[in-house]
Amino acid sequence: DAKTTQPPSMDCAEGRAANLPCNHSTISGNEYVYWYRQIHSQGPQYIIHGLKNNETNEMASLIITEDRKSSTLILPHATLRDTAVYYCIVRVALPTGGFKTIFGAGTRLFVKA
Amino acid sequence: NAGVTQTPKFQVLKTGQSMTLQCAQDMNHNSMYWYRQDPGMGLRLIYYSASEGTTDKGEVPNGYNVSRLNKREFSLRLESAAPSQTSVYFCASREPGHFTDTQYFGPGTRLTVL
């Protein structure tokens, strides 16, 4: 019951922008899109989230299409330390009324010198 | 402010042994989660606790039990460990908000069952 689709891997040259796409065509109107990353074997780290408007913080920018069916995470100047698995997430409603977060396989980003 | 802490960091068990993984958060979050991550895979939800005193099954609850001891602590117990439970276990807590889902993760417990 994956709710998002991401490419399995991407390469990026150090210092260049890394653009990571995600499709979430079944997202409901009030659900946010979340991005996390996981460096090596550490716990996942929150990056950014958004609803409709584009968002920017100190780590990244998030561009969400007008129809909200896809989004792109942008790391403006990728460094070697940005090599990680990047997860695009939307929540899935549970029968109990709560939600669960599904982490798919994500996109493995390789930043190369 | 330590965030989310987990103990132990590493553990090796023999088949049939039991153990409890501990998790604590100091961010006053209501919701806490246990995930497992197998090599090359994404995270899968084992159990979660929406608030103190409540727990619910996630995607892969079989072979596990949980206890939400208080608002800070959420433990995961393996009653009779099996090799299929060899994995990395992550605990997380979530900021409050009905439509938001910002989770903060611990460093993980690497469990090997022989």
Side-chain angles (χ1 to χ4, degrees):
Chain A
D1 55 348
K3 296 268 285 186
T4 63
T5 304
Q6 298 177 254
S9 67
M10 294 181 64
D11 290 344
C12 178
E14 188 179 22
R16 305 298 293 268
N19 297 287
L20 291 88
C22 178
N23 289 321
H24 33 78
S25 58
T26 60
I27 192 171
S28 61
N30 54 12
E31 286 292 341
Y32 284 75
V33 178
Y34 273 79
W35 284 82
Y36 289 80
R37 74 179 182 183
Q38 188 173 25
I39 296 174
H40 195 45
S41 297
Q42 299 176 19
Q45 176 191 25
Y46 164 78
I47 301 174
I48 198 167
H49 71 282
L51 182 63
K52 296 180 184 177
N53 300 319
N54 299 338
E55 302 287 346
T56 296
N57 63 20
E58 65 278 4
M59 291 182 68
S61 294
L62 176 61
I63 307 298
I64 302 173
T65 58
E66 194 168 340
D67 63 8
R68 301 206 336 115
K69 292 184 177 182
S70 65
S71 61
T72 300
L73 179 75
I74 301 172
L75 307 179
H77 304 286
T79 70
L80 298 178
R81 286 176 292 181
D82 291 322
T83 293
V85 178
Y86 287 78
Y87 298 100
C88 167
I89 293 153
V90 295
R91 297 186 304 175
V92 175
L94 292 167
T96 56
F99 294 89
K100 67 177 180 180
T101 302
I102 296 180
F103 285 80
T107 295
R108 189 171 294 275
L109 176 68
F110 296 95
V111 180
K112 300 182 177 181
Chain B
N1 190 338
V4 179
T5 57
Q6 293 183 235
T7 56
K9 287 187 169 55
F10 300 93
Q11 184 71 49
V12 178
L13 294 176
K14 295 181 180 178
T15 297
Q17 286 185 316
S18 62
M19 79 161 296
T20 300
L21 282 64
Q22 307 287 354
C23 174
Q25 52 93 9
D26 61 2
M27 295 173 283
N28 203 35
H29 291 166
N30 287 324
S31 299
M32 297 184 72
Y33 304 81
W34 275 105
Y35 294 89
R36 62 175 287 174
Q37 185 174 34
D38 299 327
M41 306 282 288
L43 283 75
R44 292 185 292 171
L45 183 64
I46 305 172
Y47 270 92
Y48 68 100
S49 171
S51 61
E52 185 179 354
T54 68
T55 61
D56 283 289
K57 296 178 180 179
E59 302 169 75
V60 288
N62 292 342
Y64 306 95
N65 285 302
V66 290
S67 295
R68 184 71 183 271
L69 304 170
N70 48 55
K71 193 170 186 179
R72 290 188 64 247
E73 299 172 287
F74 188 36
S75 63
L76 178 72
R77 182 161 178 83
L78 287 70
E79 290 291 350
S80 179
S84 60
Q85 294 178 305
T86 294
S87 191
V88 181
Y89 291 84
F90 291 103
C91 176
S93 69
R94 182 172 78 89
E95 282 187 351
H98 185 70
F99 294 114
T100 58
D101 194 25
T102 305
Q103 295 185 40
Y104 297 88
F105 286 80
T109 294
R110 284 147 185 80
L111 175 67
T112 301
V113 183
L114 302 174

